[in-house]
Amino acid sequence: MANGRCVAITGAGSGLGRALARRFAEDGDTVILLGRTGARLEAVAAELGTTAQAIVCDVGSSASVRAAFVEIAERHGRLDVLINNAAIYQPTFVKDATDAQIEAALTTNFAGPIYCARAAIPLMRPGGQIINISSETVALPHAMFSLYQSSKAGLERFTEALRAELEPEGVRVNMVRAGQMTDEDSKSPSDDLEVLRRFAEENAKRGLDLRARPVSSFQSVADFIRLLTHLPADLNAPQIVLEARRP
C-alpha cells in the first residue's frame, strides 16, 4: 500500500468517479475503483498507476458488494474513505417506467450506498469517512426525474441517520448535494432522442431551461470533495450543497 490513505470510490470508471480517482491519486492515496464495467475501470487504473486497483462491483447487488469488500480487506486491511458516487438517472414518467428502471434507481442510488457503507464500516478506524453524493434535483422541480429524485432524497435521509450512528465510532459521514457537472466525454441521460426532447420540453414547462443553467466540471467538484476529506479533527460539514456557476 502507498503511504497515503486507502480510498474506495463507486462509479469510478467515468464522470465524477473518475475525476475523484485522479484527484486522490495525485495525493499518493491508494485508490480502489469500483464499478460495473471492467474495461473502464482498468483504463482508469492504468492511467493512475500502481496505487490504483480496479474491482468490478455492481453496488446494487449485495453479493457483489460483499465480494468486493472482502477483496479490499484481504489486500489492504483497512479503508479510510468511502465515496458513494455511483448513480443511475433515466428520465421517465412514473406511468411509463419499466420494472428495470424502477429497480435500477432503487438498488443503485439508494440500496447501493447502504450495502457499501455496511461493508466498509468494519474496515474503518476512528478518523474514517463516508461521503454520499446526492443531487440538486432533490430540491428542484424536475420533470421525469421522480425515480432519481426520490432515491437521492432517501440517500440524504440515510446519510443523516448513519452520521448519528457512527459519530461515537469517530467516523465522519457527509452528504454532498452536487449541481450539474460535465467533462470531456459526458453522456446524456438517455440514448432515445424523443425521450430527451420530451425531457427538455417538460422541464421548460416547470421553469427549468436545462440548456441555460450553468454547469460545473467534474474536476472542480472532485477538488472540493478532496478538501472535505482533510477537515480538521474538531470540525465536520454534515451537509454540503454545491451549485454550478459561470466563472
Side-chain angles (χ1 to χ4, degrees):
M1 181 182 293
N3 292 328
R5 301 167 300 175
C6 187
V7 180
I9 303 165
T10 69
S14 62
L16 178 59
R18 179 175 58 192
L20 286 164
R22 290 168 172 167
R23 187 62 189 84
F24 283 100
E26 288 177 10
D27 284 350
D29 293 328
T30 295
V31 181
I32 301 166
L33 312 169
L34 301 174
R36 293 183 299 174
T37 306
R40 287 182 180 178
L41 298 177
E42 292 295 346
V44 177
E47 172 193 337
L48 300 183
T50 57
T51 61
Q53 177 190 4
I55 302 177
V56 175
C57 175
D58 178 359
V59 300
S61 163
S62 60
S64 182
V65 170
R66 188 173 291 110
F69 279 80
V70 165
E71 185 172 346
I72 292 171
E74 291 176 346
R75 180 162 178 173
H76 304 285
R78 77 171 203 269
L79 187 62
D80 298 298
V81 179
L82 166 66
I83 303 177
N84 282 313
N85 163 72
I88 291 176
Y89 51 100
Q90 299 173 318
T92 182
F93 289 112
V94 173
K95 65 182 178 63
D96 300 324
T98 65
D99 290 351
Q101 286 176 316
I102 295 170
E103 290 167 5
L106 292 176
T107 57
T108 300
N109 302 349
F110 184 51
I114 299 174
Y115 292 148
C116 290
R118 179 180 65 177
I121 290 167
L123 301 179
M124 289 189 163
R125 303 175 297 193
Q129 189 167 13
I130 297 173
I131 299 174
N132 294 330
I133 307 299
S134 185
S135 164
E136 68 174 4
T137 64
V138 170
L140 293 175
H142 276 80
M144 301 178 70
F145 253 10
S146 58
L147 302 181
Y148 182 63
Q149 289 171 304
S150 56
S151 60
K152 286 296 189 180
L155 176 61
E156 291 192 4
R157 185 64 191 90
F158 169 70
T159 303
E160 294 175 12
L162 186 65
R163 180 166 54 252
E165 181 177 323
L166 295 185
E167 181 65 26
E169 309 298 324
V171 174
R172 282 194 185 98
V173 181
N174 309 90
M175 181 275 288
V176 176
R177 184 187 288 176
Q180 288 195 112
M181 298 173 281
T182 190
D183 69 1
E184 68 272 14
D185 61 356
S186 291
K187 295 183 177 180
S188 76
S190 175
D191 296 326
D192 188 323
L193 294 180
E194 177 58 25
V195 169
L196 293 176
R197 183 196 66 77
R198 188 72 185 276
F199 183 54
E201 180 181 274
E202 293 295 330
N203 278 288
K205 290 178 183 177
R206 300 189 185 188
L208 288 174
D209 184 345
L210 302 181
R211 292 170 297 182
R213 301 186 71 247
V215 181
S216 61
S217 72
F218 286 123
Q219 187 59 56
S220 294
V221 177
D223 288 343
F224 177 85
I225 291 172
R226 181 263 178 191
L227 292 175
L228 187 59
T229 67
H230 286 278
L231 290 174
D234 59 346
L235 287 179
N236 195 22
Q239 299 181 359
I240 302 294
V241 177
L242 299 178
E243 294 181 347
R245 65 184 293 270
R246 292 183 178 85

